[in-house]
Amino acid sequence: MALALALTGIADADSGGSLQIRVLSNRADLVSGGDALVEVALPSGATPQSVRVDVDGRDVTSAFAVRPDGRFLGLVTGLKVGENQVTAQGQAGAARLTVTNHPVGGPVFAGAQVQPWECATEENGLGAPQDAACNTPAKYTLFYKSSLTGQFTAYDPKFPPVDLAYTTTDQGKRVAYIVRRERGVMDRGIYDIAVLHDPAKTWKPWAPQSGFNGKLLVPFGGDCTPRHSQGAPAESVLNDTALSRGFAVATSNLNMLGQNCNGVVSAEALTMLKEHFVETYGPIRYTIGQGCSGGSMQQHWITSNYPGLLDGILPSCSFPDVWSTVQEAEDCHLLDRHFDRSPLWAVTAQRTAVTGHAAETVCRSLWDNPTGNAQYAKTWLDPDNGTGCLGGLNAGHTTLEPNPPWVYDAETNPEGERCTLQDYAVAVWGRRPESSWGPVEERVQRGFANRPYDNTGVQYGLKALESGLVTPEQFVDLNENVGGLDIDWNWQPGRSEADPAALETAYRSGQVTYPREAAKVPVIDLRTALGNLEIHTDFHSYEMRARLDQANGDHDNQIIWTGVPAVATDDDAGEKAFVLMDTWLARIEADTSTDPLETKVVRNKPADAVDACWIGGHKITDMSVCRAAYPYFGLPRTAAGGPVANNILKCRLKPLDRGDYTADFTNAQWDRLRNTFPDGVCDYSKPGVAQQPSLPWLSFADGPGGQPLGAPPRSGSAP
């Protein structure tokens, strides 16, 4: 179907009048690991017995056969890194396809990999790494679900347990509830795959075991740090909701932003993981994403920028992307700094109005905690914060520890590794030009990574001023003293300015999510009842909704469920959302019309796929009631007059005009404002600087900024 084949760009149709070669497990130019599931599609009347297949002259015909579904295909192995010429010849002619293979350790399209990189294969049961990419042979472990405890336990086929449970899949197959977990290394990350598995039977990609329903769940993990080491996948693949129904579950530790806060690498890791899955376990009907916080960022980001990898998503405690969230955290840091230094800001309600949040705890919890080190503002943009490179908050670093010797220090190790998000993804952002270099860059004769954070022209607290909640003097005091952050995260009196190349890259590569492609994907967004009191505020779901409206004219593919119980109950909303998503995707799958996928998404939306909330344990679909129970608020930028979409990194400026304000400024206050904003203030009626729609499927293999992959390779006639 269209969903499963979107990544490869291959139409599920007959080959017409000529012989064709198709790579089924990935695009032919993105293959990795030395193997590929390949089909030789024959025209009507042609017999497979006459077909010979070779790779660069090496005969691989023995890998091919007519499989149970009637297709002539095989798993081609031994592909060299680089281009491989696959040729098929038969009575119907000859065809050739260039298959480009990449190392199993990567990269494929994410560009140069970060260094240093520490392997953790021994700590995760895989033995010693065999090379610098941490590669080791995969390990397989069996588990079973106990009918007595309901828990997964190690399974030994030699001693079958008396409490072995059984499950009936959504295809009506009753099977022993035994799960095989495959753990291995790919793209320098550790991956897990779990499937219902009968150890007495074989499994081939063209003949999966009956317990597999052809569907895949990918759990994404939270947090966001520029970590320089492997780790175990944070989200367990032993997911009863999915496995009991026949789903496979697969993830990589690179799909946890807390272990790899680079969305391009996350997309690359998922691409490689799905290819390996198809080559090992068989075709995927559709893939569902699931995950909270950083896991939601990845789902929104991947569906918008690498379409075809995820067919439906279940984000929870969600944010649209990393970099608009960085903007919120750094604004909190600057605002908190000034609030703590100025006697004018003693009233909590006034401070909260400036941040746009429902409560001061949002800024003061994890975005910026001045009394400790549990703060993302520091973890994300402070280059000598070694806890970021070591895993940050996710690794339990709530106090400063000695930095590794390879971490940057402006004085003692200026050429060290900078622990910032932009330097971690320098393969995406590129380096600052010499014209922008600061003193340390001059010393090392190398620019640091381009950074998109900017607060030039931002009128912090504008809405609070207009409402009369803060005084003109407070407004002037705040904006003339809030300052900015230099490239080393030091406070400076002047505002921060984004590097121009970073703004171009941020929008072009979709680092700020532009969800045009996301219209092709059903979205069920889940929020708990506590979202407005900590960093995962309810606002962010509506921020994403506003972006959908901007990009597509509607948000018909998205529903929001608010007040979802954090702990599973008899009325488990999380499981209901999973089942609803499965139903929605199955209906799209069954829609064989030639209409665009985004049309099918809306047409096949189930009747109960509507906005809702939970009050007193009951599901409510009257949104006037829900909005009263669960209002959403904003951010420092919306409180400064910015749009709900919150997708402007650097605003365009307009002249400061006294007539734009309802407040009465004294002449002295007005002069101070003019000195604060000499080039003008934000004009949010216009798009941001360099703001543009993103380009899907960018490759950074040839350098920062990225280039579109273009159409997937197709086979042509061979001499």
Side-chain angles (χ1 to χ4, degrees), residues 314-402:
L314 296 165
S316 54
C317 44
S318 66
F319 300 97
D321 55 62
V322 172
W323 280 96
S324 57
T325 310
V326 168
Q327 179 173 265
E328 179 184 3
E330 302 308 327
D331 283 351
C332 277
H333 174 64
L334 291 173
L335 292 170
D336 285 347
R337 180 188 182 278
H338 182 67
F339 293 154
D340 292 341
R341 285 166 172 77
S342 172
L344 298 179
W345 293 95
V347 178
T348 301
Q350 292 179 320
R351 297 193 299 267
T352 301
V354 169
T355 67
H357 299 132
E360 190 174 28
T361 53
V362 177
C363 271
R364 296 285 189 174
S365 57
L366 292 177
W367 285 154
D368 181 65
N369 183 350
T371 61
N373 296 298
Q375 50 178 305
Y376 283 103
K378 182 179 182 68
T379 299
W380 288 345
L381 294 190
D382 183 1
D384 62 4
N385 174 39
T387 57
C389 280
L390 294 173
L393 304 177
N394 173 67
H397 296 281
T398 57
T399 59
L400 282 177
E401 299 177 7

Side-chain angles (χ1 to χ4, degrees), residues 12 65 111 124 140 145 152 230 241 246 261 312 337 342 370 403 553 572 588-589 596 638 644:
D12 191 12
N124 290 285
Y140 302 89
K145 184 177 178 181
F152 289 104
Q230 289 181 319
T241 298
C261 202
R337 180 188 182 278
S342 172
N403 284 343
D572 188 345
I588 297 169
E589 179 187 41
T638 59
V644 173

Side-chain angles (χ1 to χ4, degrees), residues 469-548:
L469 189 57
V470 304
T471 67
E473 178 57 28
Q474 286 178 298
F475 178 76
V476 175
D477 166 73
L478 175 63
N479 282 286
E480 70 179 347
N481 292 301
V482 70
L485 301 165
D486 71 10
I487 197 65
D488 272 358
W489 203 69
N490 299 308
W491 181 83
Q492 62 183 26
R495 298 296 185 95
S496 299
E497 291 197 39
D499 294 301
L503 295 172
E504 182 76 22
T505 297
Y507 290 114
R508 187 171 177 273
S509 67
Q511 300 297 318
V512 175
T513 297
Y514 179 79
R516 175 180 52 201
E517 295 292 332
K520 301 172 183 176
V521 175
V523 180
I524 303 177
D525 188 305
L526 307 175
R527 308 212 69 93
T528 69
L530 301 177
N532 287 328
L533 301 179
E534 45 88 34
I535 60 175
H536 306 94
T537 62
D538 291 354
F539 169 83
H540 293 290
S541 294
Y542 295 93
E543 176 186 4
M544 191 67 212
R545 175 163 288 185
R547 295 190 193 185
L548 287 164

